[in-house]
Amino acid sequence: MLSTIEASGAPKVPRNQSEIRTVSRRAALQIGAGATFATTGRSFAADYPAGPVTMIIPLPPGTVLDVIGRFAGARFQKSLGYPIVVENVAGAAGSLGVQRAARAKPDGQTILYSVSGPVSTNKFVMKNMPYDVDRDLAPVVMVGTSPVALVVHRSFPAATLADFIAYAKAKPGEISYGSSGIGSPQHLCAEYLQALADIKLTHVPYKGAPESANEVIAGQIPCSFTSVSLTYEHMKAGQVRILAICDDERSPLAPELPTVREVVPGFTHAPTGWQAMFVPARTPPQVIAVINREMNLAFRDPELTGRFQGQFTSFVGGAPEDRKSTRLNSSHVALSRMPSSA
């Protein structure tokens, strides 16, 4: 009967004192292992951070991420006692900074604060990527989203997006536009518009959004796909015109700005300028939880909320896994609709 019970998978009943001692030792080891794991998990969180934390931003100084990252760092230091040191590592469309963060020790002492291009779209437009985001990075928190805008210099002969498309059709390839670099949301929005509106523009990639915005403000290039925050005040001053934003709905922060979709109906799920924080893969989940908690608290600070609105950025926040929502992977949708030559 005993062998039948054992074969069926039912628990085996100890038959003598020796077996009782064996089972007791085994149970003690299992309980001890569980206690060790729980204690180790708590110690990871209790000992974090072990010193100043490096925040890598894969963009040049002067971007929205600089402003928000430094403010969040001050809140982080107030809560946990150690500062966040911002390090700008630009180059290769942001890939250099992401690569450095991916290769850092997985202890939470290095945080990557990036826009979408280096971690979402670069792999579609660059060969031999030195990192794999899903393999080498772990998400911490989705920070915010901000729409891309089509901005033209005040001398450009188009007052609306419809005028712009008509002018571009009449002069294929003659209109140059700036972006934040190859593979950036700004570049992809331009390619998306060209594919759907059947126009041809000439791409002039810059190292970042500030550079491309400054060039169109100064009239060095006729138009740019860039950030609303960098050009909105210049629009009000009459230096540039914002013809449309690349989003499905008008922004509540600037409802007077039309969307591309209003003129080009198929222009949906456009690549969005989003920002998120990551840490190296294999960083203890307890440490990720601490960073996530502190950043969510920082982003809800009324002063930082005002800074978000001033940068035309909508705060998202939430749990680490929220980064993978369909809305925030919209670049993949747009890419799937583009011709392969784009």
Side-chain angles (χ1 to χ4, degrees):
M1 180 62 69
L2 182 60
S3 60
T4 303
I5 295 175
E6 290 176 355
S8 68
K12 179 181 178 181
V13 179
R15 291 171 291 189
N16 51 51
Q17 290 297 319
S18 177
E19 286 195 7
I20 291 174
R21 286 194 296 271
T22 300
V23 172
S24 298
R25 285 196 299 270
R26 187 183 302 119
L29 288 171
Q30 290 173 344
I31 294 171
T36 300
F37 177 80
T39 303
T40 302
R42 287 195 298 271
S43 66
F44 272 130
D47 295 340
Y48 179 81
V53 175
T54 299
M55 177 180 285
I56 294 177
I57 296 179
L59 301 172
T63 65
V64 174
L65 271 66
D66 265 356
V67 176
I68 296 174
R70 294 177 194 282
F71 185 93
R75 172 66 174 74
F76 185 93
Q77 180 176 5
K78 183 178 180 181
S79 178
L80 297 181
Y82 284 100
I84 284 182
V85 180
V86 173
E87 183 178 352
N88 296 93
V89 185
S95 294
L96 294 182
V98 177
Q99 182 179 8
R100 181 179 295 186
R103 293 181 176 178
K105 186 177 179 180
D107 57 3
Q109 295 299 129
T110 300
I111 300 172
L112 172 69
Y113 183 19
S114 179
V115 290
S116 54
V119 294
S120 179
T121 56
N122 275 8
K123 63 182 178 181
F124 294 104
V125 294
M126 297 177 66
K127 296 181 179 179
N128 303 318
M129 289 288 290
Y131 53 85
D132 181 294
V133 172
D134 292 330
R135 180 194 66 206
D136 300 330
L137 295 173
V140 173
V141 64
M142 175 60 68
V143 177
T145 62
S146 54
V148 175
L150 170 56
V151 183
V152 298
H153 186 258
R154 62 186 178 187
S155 63
F156 192 84
T160 66
L161 177 60
D163 293 341
F164 180 91
I165 292 173
Y167 187 77
K169 285 182 178 291
K171 296 181 179 294
E174 296 183 28
I175 302 173
S176 298
Y177 75 91
S179 83
S180 298
I182 296 173
S184 66
Q186 293 82 1
H187 175 213
L188 295 181
C189 279
E191 295 292 344
Y192 196 20
L193 176 62
Q194 291 178 82
L196 295 180
D198 192 25
I199 59 176
K200 178 63 177 176
L201 308 173
T202 299
H203 185 206
V204 181
Y206 290 85
K207 290 193 299 182
E211 291 82 356
S212 66
N214 289 337
E215 290 290 272
V216 71
I217 292 168
Q220 297 301 310
I221 52 174
C223 64
S224 179
F225 286 78
T226 187
S227 168
V228 177
S229 65
L230 295 172
T231 53
Y232 189 74
E233 292 301 320
H234 297 280
M235 180 196 74
K236 293 199 295 185
Q239 296 173 289
V240 296
R241 289 190 293 275
I242 299 178
L243 300 187
I245 61 172
C246 302
D247 210 347
D248 289 352
E249 306 291 340
R250 293 196 180 202
S251 169
L253 301 177
E256 74 276 19
L257 300 179
T259 67
V260 174
R261 183 184 184 183
E262 293 172 34
V263 178
V264 184
F267 197 93
T268 59
H269 296 92
T272 305
W274 55 258
Q275 314 158 15
M277 291 186 180
F278 302 81
V279 290
R282 296 174 297 282
T283 297
Q286 298 86 359
V287 171
I288 294 177
V290 171
I291 303 173
N292 174 273
R293 179 195 69 210
E294 293 303 320
M295 292 305 171
N296 272 290
L297 289 172
F299 299 143
R300 289 185 175 88
D301 185 291
E303 184 176 349
L304 188 52
T305 299
R307 290 175 181 263
F308 267 113
Q309 294 177 346
Q311 300 292 338
F312 289 86
T313 299
S314 299
F315 169 64
V316 178
E321 58 270 19
D322 293 343
R323 180 189 69 88
K324 296 185 177 182
S325 69
T326 301
R327 176 68 180 85
L328 298 173
N329 281 323
S330 57
S331 298
H332 298 180
V333 178
L335 283 162
S336 69
R337 297 179 181 178
M338 293 183 198
S340 58
S341 59

